[in-house]
Amino acid sequence: MKIVKATFSLLAASTLSVQAVSLLQVETFDSPTGWTSGNPNPNPPQINPVAGPGGIGDPGLLVSSSVGSSAGSRLVTFNTTDWTGNYSGAGVTALSMDLRNTGSDDLFVRIAVNGPGGWFVTDSQEVGSGLGYATFLFDITPVSLSPAQDRSSPLGNDVDATLASVTQARILHNATGGLAIGAVANAELRIDNITAVPEPKVPVLVGLALLFCIKRKVRLQEK
């Protein structure tokens, strides 16, 4: 797993394996990753060497599910290492990622986060079946997150506490709002270039974000 982090003092990037989220962190799945789906799952998330937007030589994360009631029927992957920590303190207000749905069902992708204040989830974004890669931006500011629901009971009661100490981040499919669990689907979701996006009103950070996007595009073109 390649993690790129910006250092403010030098305004430069270094490639590191980390245990907490940081601003402009980018995951390109070039090496083993902390994204999983738990056990048991006959088809756990895995890095595919040609699953990224660049094709051959550009790896991406492949997350699969199949219709049914057995293990592996729900489309979800989660991280309890590199994408945890203090999102608010790091200035991370959104997660950007490249997504492609190569399964037969349309997907409604959400980000969910858990922490001391409970579970919170973003609005969904539709990732249509059979289309090419596209970049999606998920707003994870306090005003944009909704408390996750368990039947009629909220699972989240303090979004600020959760964003200050995220213990798990999820990427999941669920068309039903307010749910932080993956829904059953006959699906295959490809994920690449997950990026921790800064507060856009900070000009320097926006410039850095654009620089990382340019570098990423050059990397794909070279491949």
Side-chain angles (χ1 to χ4, degrees):
M1 169 178 47
K2 181 178 287 185
I3 298 291
V4 180
K5 303 186 77 176
T7 56
F8 298 106
S9 59
L10 299 177
L11 296 182
S14 61
T15 302
L16 300 171
S17 290
V18 297
Q19 293 300 314
V21 70
S22 64
L23 199 59
L24 300 181
Q25 176 174 308
V26 182
E27 184 158 22
T28 56
F29 300 102
D30 292 328
S31 58
T33 174
W35 291 94
T36 183
S37 61
N39 293 316
N41 186 348
N43 298 299
Q46 59 182 327
I47 296 175
N48 185 298
V50 297
I56 296 175
D58 184 17
L61 185 68
L62 192 62
V63 185
S64 303
S65 63
S66 56
V67 172
S69 58
S70 60
S73 62
R74 297 179 180 274
L75 189 77
V76 60
T77 183
F78 61 83
N79 188 289
T80 58
T81 55
D82 307 282
W83 293 91
T84 60
N86 189 348
Y87 278 66
S88 301
V92 178
T93 62
L95 292 180
S96 170
M97 60 191 70
D98 295 333
L99 301 176
R100 183 184 181 190
N101 177 3
T102 52
S104 59
D105 292 348
D106 290 341
L107 299 176
F108 296 86
V109 177
R110 303 174 187 272
I111 305 298
V113 290
N114 189 27
W119 280 100
F120 291 85
V121 63
T122 68
D123 290 336
S124 69
Q125 297 197 44
E126 185 173 2
V127 185
S129 172
L131 302 178
Y133 259 104
T135 300
F136 294 81
L137 185 69
F138 295 89
D139 190 339
I140 55 171
T141 55
V143 296
S144 298
L145 290 170
S146 300
Q149 300 291 320
D150 179 16
R151 296 187 177 92
S152 60
S153 301
L155 297 176
N157 54 31
D158 189 337
V159 65
D160 292 320
T162 289
L163 288 176
S165 185
V166 171
T167 56
Q168 183 181 136
R170 287 184 180 179
I171 301 171
L172 60 97
H173 152 69
N174 205 315
T176 303
L179 295 182
I181 59 173
V184 173
N186 185 23
E188 185 178 82
L189 180 65
R190 300 183 179 208
I191 305 171
D192 200 9
N193 303 312
I194 304 174
T195 307
V197 178
E199 173 63 49
K201 69 182 180 181
V202 184
V204 173
L205 297 183
V206 171
L208 285 171
L210 291 174
L211 176 61
F212 277 106
C213 290
I214 292 170
K215 287 183 176 180
R216 184 176 70 185
K217 183 176 292 185
V218 169
R219 180 173 68 88
L220 294 178
Q221 290 175 343
E222 289 175 346
K223 294 178 179 179

